[in-house]
Amino acid sequence: MADHAVSSDPAVQAQLDRLAALSPGRDILGLERIRALLDRLGNPERSLPPVFHVAGTNGKGSTCAYLRAALEAAGHSVHVYTSPHLVRFNERIRIAGQLIEDATLATLLAEVLDIAGDISPSFFEVTTAAAFLAFARTPADACIIEVGLGGRLDATNVIARPAICGIAQLGIDHQAFLGDRIEDIAAEKAGIAKPDVPIVTQHYPAPVANRIGEVVRAAGAPWLAKGGQWDSVAYQGRIHYRDEAGKLDLPLPRLPGQHQTQNAALAIAMLRHQQAVPVPVSALRAAMGWAEWPARLQHLATGTLVDRLPPGSDLWLDGGHNPAAARVIADFFRGKVPAGRPFHIILGLLENKDPLGFLKPFAGRTATVHTVPIPGHAHHLPAALAAAARSTGLGAMTAADPIDAIAWIARHADRARPPVVLIAGSLYLAGNVLAANGTPPT
């Protein structure tokens, strides 16, 4: 699926234009094209440092952030491949700790596209191949790979023997590709399991866990589920973790939201159950404060958009776009909007997302929803999205974009009761907001 990527670097943009012109297979999941492409490139996926492979509906990116923070706190150099990007395409590929430079990115994309020929790879397949080339050619101690979509047929699943695999929170999303039943989605995610490679997962309801168990056992992978071989709980301001090697008492993550303790614990369990890269407990502690993951309950303290709001206002950003993410966000803001302060939600959703599923967790709140388009992407029309919000009992109005919505909020604000503003519904929208605010990821 193409992500309408643009770059300020002409050489990179030239390759992104080529990439957008290819992609006839972009809506067909499968490993045939990526395997053929990597074979022509000399199979760089076979020369990667120890790989930490992470799938999930929500939380997989945050889990990758904790893995990276812990590995780097331990003194290791780390490659990271994640998607989508927020502002710059380069965010997808981090080489030994640094975002890929434009010149390197342009050269790698050109190399992959030049050799692709009749394979007709997708946007994501070309990006994955370029990342694997970059990682194979630059020494590092570890490699963190986030699944793009699903797992079993995702382009990243060509890695034959990762050091360890992990599955984060599961939910309903990407139904056109993965199905409508959570058990089927779970089976697709569990498809990253490999023979004799441990796979670490969260705790899931019995029907989901049973399906995961079937897939994992068929693959011949040791399954380490939360509540079994490892467990964690947050209380008294700490994470209390245990596994067969012992117990840990760790600080809570700096990233906001109770769900982040679950993501952090999954990363800890993955690091504790692999043998390829040593990570001391001191690095696990440091990771709780080091990990960064933009557009996930991110509090924007400075920037152009922040300055447009009255003093004392709070501006938050989250790219969550499915019902499970909405529940987490809504729970978080129950404790973040003091009595008397207006709560505004600036919302844009892609057309393949569920508006009512996203909005229902906010029902019963005193909030105003400002619906906006998502430029460059097929999205729910703001008027239809506003109607969906009203059907849940929320006040709603349309806006041209987040800047327009913030201007309306600022004009109508009571300076004695500065507003709390949440921008949510899409990582693409979040990227536009970070760019407009002048605070892109680094």
Side-chain angles (χ1 to χ4, degrees):
M1 292 178 292
D3 286 343
H4 304 274
V6 296
S7 174
S8 60
D9 183 273
V12 174
Q13 187 59 54
Q15 301 308 318
L16 294 178
D17 290 342
R18 290 179 66 193
L19 184 53
L22 287 173
S23 303
R26 62 183 178 272
D27 291 332
I28 304 172
L29 291 178
L31 301 181
E32 295 81 6
R33 292 187 306 273
I34 185 66
R35 283 176 173 153
L37 185 59
L38 291 170
D39 188 58
R40 290 184 185 181
L41 293 166
N43 295 112
E45 78 283 5
R46 299 176 185 173
S47 302
L48 302 181
V51 169
F52 295 73
H53 199 195
V54 185
T57 306
N58 297 311
K60 62 182 185 289
S62 296
T63 300
C64 290
Y66 291 113
L67 288 171
R68 176 192 165 205
L71 288 163
E72 290 185 341
H76 300 300
S77 58
V78 186
H79 300 322
V80 186
Y81 179 51
T82 57
S83 60
H85 62 278
L86 294 171
V87 179
R88 298 178 66 218
F89 185 90
N90 309 54
E91 298 164 31
R92 295 168 178 256
I93 303 173
R94 190 175 290 272
I95 305 175
Q98 302 298 316
L99 294 184
I100 189 170
E101 295 182 356
D102 284 333
T104 304
L105 177 59
T107 299
L108 287 171
L109 289 176
E111 182 175 352
V112 176
L113 288 165
D114 287 348
I115 209 168
D118 58 348
I119 294 174
S120 297
S122 71
F123 182 105
F124 187 72
E125 288 162 348
V126 170
T127 305
T128 301
F132 289 175
L133 276 180
F135 298 161
R137 292 172 178 175
T138 304
D141 301 312
C143 189
I144 300 168
I145 305 292
E146 179 190 5
V147 168
L149 193 158
R152 180 176 64 94
L153 298 177
D154 185 74
T156 65
N157 205 30
V158 294
I159 299 166
R161 191 169 177 81
I164 198 160
C165 299
I167 305 178
Q169 180 187 359
L170 296 175
I172 301 293
D173 204 357
H174 300 294
Q175 294 94 313
F177 297 94
L178 305 180
D180 296 315
R181 298 174 67 248
I182 186 66
E183 294 88 348
D184 295 335
I185 291 173
E188 289 296 317
K189 308 287 186 185
I192 65 170
K194 302 293 185 302
D196 302 319
V197 175
I199 183 164
V200 183
T201 74
Q202 299 284 15
H203 175 78
Y204 309 114
V208 174
N210 291 340
R211 189 72 182 97
I212 289 176
E214 292 173 2
V215 175
V216 169
R217 283 190 293 272
W223 181 25
L224 309 172
K226 181 181 180 184
Q229 293 89 338
W230 69 278
D231 207 351
S232 70
V233 64
Y235 68 91
Q236 296 182 341
R238 308 285 292 180
I239 293 180
H240 299 268
Y241 172 95
R242 63 95 182 148
D243 59 23
E244 293 178 355
K247 297 180 179 179
L248 300 179
D249 179 359
L250 302 171
L252 292 178
R254 181 172 60 87
L255 295 177
Q258 293 182 355
H259 63 294
Q260 288 296 354
T261 62
Q262 300 176 34
N263 297 330
L266 179 65
I268 293 166
M270 290 180 66
L271 290 162
R272 297 260 290 184
H273 289 92
Q274 55 83 37
Q275 306 299 321
V277 190
V279 179
V281 174
S282 59
L284 299 178
R285 292 194 180 99
M288 299 302 102
W290 285 21
E292 294 183 357
W293 197 231
R296 282 77 174 179
L297 288 178
Q298 180 180 2
H299 185 240
L300 299 176
T302 61
T304 303
L305 299 183
V306 175
D307 292 342
R308 292 172 183 257
L309 290 166
S313 301
D314 287 295
L315 180 59
W316 292 83
L317 180 66
D318 195 286
H321 46 258
N322 53 48
R327 287 191 292 272
V328 167
I329 298 167
D331 287 345
F332 176 78
F333 278 96
R334 283 189 178 87
K336 285 295 178 182
V337 185
R341 289 185 65 182
F343 183 34
H344 297 267
I345 303 171
I346 301 173
L347 179 65
L349 283 172
L350 296 181
E351 69 174 5
N352 64 345
K353 303 306 176 186
D354 175 11
L356 288 177
F358 189 90
L359 288 160
K360 282 180 179 177
F362 296 94
R365 300 290 303 274
T366 302
T368 302
V369 179
H370 304 257
T371 58
V372 297
I374 304 175
H377 300 270
H379 56 267
H380 286 282
L381 295 178
L385 202 52
R390 294 187 196 103
S391 75
T392 66
L394 296 164
M397 64 184 70
T398 63
D401 52 38
I403 295 174
D404 181 40
I406 286 173
W408 188 97
I409 294 167
R411 285 196 306 272
H412 294 83
D414 178 352
R415 294 183 178 271
R417 298 184 304 151
V420 176
V421 181
L422 163 67
I423 305 175
S426 166
L427 286 169
Y428 301 115
L429 180 66
N432 292 341
V433 169
L434 289 173
N437 195 51
T439 52
T442 56

